[in-house]
């Protein structure tokens, strides 16, 4: 394209040059005519010839001279065009000039350069990570361990390790098989082999709920005392074991099986049932703390004033409903029929003597007169809506004892009113009441007075009274 342009330009310049030459020729002819006109005839031909020769040579020479440079110009232009074309189609010759190596986190590159100064780069692939084990956390039987692998760039990954198998100790009659590492318990406990209330396998004292009367005799032997009371749920027979007062036991039988147990001190509860088994150790816990597994309810009684330890407990089958409100034995007292709580009075005596002997004191003797005086005061408080040691006529415990034929004695008295909630059910019984006196400082001092020798108690329940349940204890000694 450039060569064509140069050719056209050369032709255009040539045309302009020829046009200029023709104009110069015209001027020469005029000069010649004038010369002819002024010169003589002879000279004219010679001059004309000379002028003509000169003109002809001059024109020819000029033409030749002007034309040749144009041709030269075309040649120069062609040469320039050829040089430019060679530069445009220059083929680069690239060679590797530098390399940046890749890592596992950053891509490298290779750079290639030409002598002309141009260059280009090629991206290199990432190198794979080079992982090696950096740390190990060993597994246990409860927590998965792991192995961690790390690369020099800081990248890492972990592999979980399998749990180790549990390392079980064999099951016993007090514990199922147990992992010695994590404490996990598996399966159930072995049955106790109970003889005289002690397991021959574990050596622990075992209190059995749900067993029959014959099984009880086989395990615990013959009782020291038996009392029977009529309740709203049927007859309840209490077997009393008191040859060792530090291990005082009441087994309460209902519908032919042991349904509740009062126990002095601590022990284990093992419940035999047709389709279920429960095994609950009696715990040292807050005072009157209820423990339950749905089959057994246990009330733990703690000495919150003295030792701060468990001193007694009452365990029962959850289904067994027993309280002062369920007892319905009737007797004529002071000319009218009242509920007979004589059995509760006897149980209260045993529990009170246990607490006294626990503190190094001698046991008390039961007094019917003191029990009558106690019952009179309990009924009077319920009927007349007061709660005081002094009745509405200003009479105290000594007056009530005198009315029962006991005069000139030193005496003391504890009273209680109200109820407790067990499993959201309002109830009370002799176990709750006696322990509440033991864990109240003023009442405890009366109960543990060394000089007292005789004891009586009276309980009553009046559903339409202010507190419903009213209880009285009377202690005395002769001078």
């Amino acid at each position: 394209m450039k060569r064509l342009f140069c050719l056209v330009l050369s032709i255009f310049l040539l045309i302009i040059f020829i046009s200029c030459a023709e104009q110069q020729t015209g001027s020469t002819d005029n000069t010649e005519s004038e010369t002819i006109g002024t010169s003589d005839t002879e000279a004219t031909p010679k001059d004309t010839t000379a002028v003509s020769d000169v003109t002809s040579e001059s024109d020819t020479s000029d033409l030749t001279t002007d034309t040749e440079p144009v041709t030269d110009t075309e040649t120069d232009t062609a040469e320039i065009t050829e040089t430019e074309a060679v530069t445009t189609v220059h083929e680069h010759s690239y060679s590797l000039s530098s390399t940046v190596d890749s890592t596992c986190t950053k891509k490298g590159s290779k750079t290639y350069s030409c002598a002309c100064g141009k260059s280009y780069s090629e991206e290199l692939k990432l190198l794979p990570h080079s992982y090696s084990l950096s740390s190990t956390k060993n597994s246990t039987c409860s927590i998965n361990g792991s192995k961690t692998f790390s690369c020099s760039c800081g990248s890492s990954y972990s592999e979980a390790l399998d749990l180790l198998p549990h390392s079980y100790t064999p099951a016993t009659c007090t514990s199922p098989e147990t992992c010695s590492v994590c404490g996990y318990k598996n399966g159930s406990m072995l049955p106790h082999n109970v003889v005289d209330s002690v397991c021959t396998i574990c050596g622990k004292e075992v209190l059995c709920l749900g067993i029959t009367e014959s099984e009880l005799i086989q395990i615990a032997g013959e009782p020291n005392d038996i009392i029977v009371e009529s309740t709203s749920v049927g007859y309840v027979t209490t077997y009393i074991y008191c040859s060792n007062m530090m291990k005082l036991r009441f087994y309460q039988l209902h519908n032919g099986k042991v349904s509740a147990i009062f126990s002095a001190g601590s022990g284990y509860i093992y419940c035999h049932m047709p389709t279920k088994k429960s095994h609950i150790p009696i715990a040292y816990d807050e005072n009157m703390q209820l423990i339950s597994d749905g089959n057994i309810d246990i009330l733990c009684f703690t000495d919150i004033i003295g030792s701060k330890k468990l001193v007694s407990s009452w365990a029962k089958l959850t289904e067994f409903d027993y309280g002062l409100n369920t007892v319905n034995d009737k007797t004529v007292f002071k000319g009218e029929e009242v509920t007979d709580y004589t059995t509760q009075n006897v149980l209260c005596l045993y529990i009170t003597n246990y607490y006294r002997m626990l503190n190094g004191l001698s046991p008390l003797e039961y007094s019917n007169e003191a029990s009558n005086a106690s019952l009179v005061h309990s009924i009077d408080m319920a009927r007349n809506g007061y709660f005081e040691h002094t009745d509405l006529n200003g009479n105290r415990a000594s007056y009530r004892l005198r009315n029962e034929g006991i005069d000139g004695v030193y005496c003391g008295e504890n009273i209680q009113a109200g109820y407790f909630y067990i499993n959201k059910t309002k109830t009370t019984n002799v176990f709750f009441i006696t322990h509440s006196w033991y864990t109240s400082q003023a009442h405890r001092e009366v109960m543990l007075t060394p000089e007292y020798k005789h004891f009586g108690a009276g309980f009553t329940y009046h559903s339409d009274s202010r507190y419903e349940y009213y209880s009285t204890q009377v202690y005395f000694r002769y001078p």
Side-chain angles (χ1 to χ4, degrees), residues 177-229:
E177 61 176 4
T178 304
C179 178
S180 59
V181 178
C182 67
Y184 175 75
K185 297 183 183 298
N186 182 52
S188 58
M189 294 169 288
L190 299 178
H192 289 285
N193 182 33
V194 183
V195 177
D196 293 334
S197 297
V198 176
C199 177
T200 59
I201 300 174
C202 65
K204 299 286 187 181
E205 182 178 6
V206 179
L207 308 177
C208 298
L209 285 167
I211 60 176
T212 64
E213 180 180 6
S214 60
E215 288 174 326
L216 173 62
I217 299 299
Q218 181 181 357
I219 290 172
E222 292 292 337
N224 301 104
D225 196 0
I226 299 175
I227 58 175
V228 181
E229 57 190 333

Side-chain angles (χ1 to χ4, degrees), residues 40 102 119 221 306 367 378 476:
D40 54 3
S102 292
S119 64
S367 168
S378 295
F476 70 92

Side-chain angles (χ1 to χ4, degrees), residues 107-280:
K107 293 181 179 180
S109 64
K110 285 186 175 181
T111 301
Y112 297 87
S113 301
C114 180
C116 68
K118 289 192 175 184
S119 64
Y120 70 94
S121 296
E122 291 180 351
E123 190 176 67
L124 302 179
K125 294 181 179 179
L126 290 173
L127 296 179
H129 291 288
S130 178
Y131 290 106
S132 60
L133 181 65
S134 59
S135 64
T136 301
K137 182 180 179 182
N138 294 326
S139 292
T140 67
C141 47
S142 58
I143 302 175
N144 290 94
S146 63
K147 285 186 175 181
T148 301
F149 298 85
S150 301
C151 179
S152 58
C153 68
S155 175
S156 65
Y157 71 94
S158 295
E159 294 179 352
L161 300 178
D162 293 334
L163 292 173
L164 296 180
H166 290 289
S167 179
Y168 287 113
T169 57
T172 68
C173 49
T174 59
S175 175
E177 61 176 4
T178 304
C179 178
S180 59
V181 178
C182 67
Y184 175 75
K185 297 183 183 298
N186 182 52
S188 58
M189 294 169 288
L190 299 178
H192 289 285
N193 182 33
V194 183
V195 177
D196 293 334
S197 297
V198 176
C199 177
T200 59
I201 300 174
C202 65
K204 299 286 187 181
E205 182 178 6
V206 179
L207 308 177
C208 298
L209 285 167
I211 60 176
T212 64
E213 180 180 6
S214 60
E215 288 174 326
L216 173 62
I217 299 299
Q218 181 181 357
I219 290 172
E222 292 292 337
N224 301 104
D225 196 0
I226 299 175
I227 58 175
V228 181
E229 57 190 333
S230 174
T231 73
S232 60
V233 295
Y235 283 98
V236 174
T237 302
T238 301
Y239 281 34
I240 300 173
Y241 294 83
C242 60
S243 56
N244 181 353
M245 286 296 291
M246 293 301 98
K247 292 186 176 181
L248 176 66
R249 302 287 184 264
F250 302 151
Y251 288 87
Q252 296 178 291
L253 284 80
H254 176 249
N255 290 338
K257 63 183 178 182
V258 176
S259 298
I261 305 171
F262 173 82
S263 169
S266 63
Y268 284 85
I269 300 301
Y270 188 58
C271 181
H272 296 272
M273 300 182 69
T275 58
K276 299 178 182 179
K277 285 187 177 182
S278 298
H279 188 101
I280 307 177

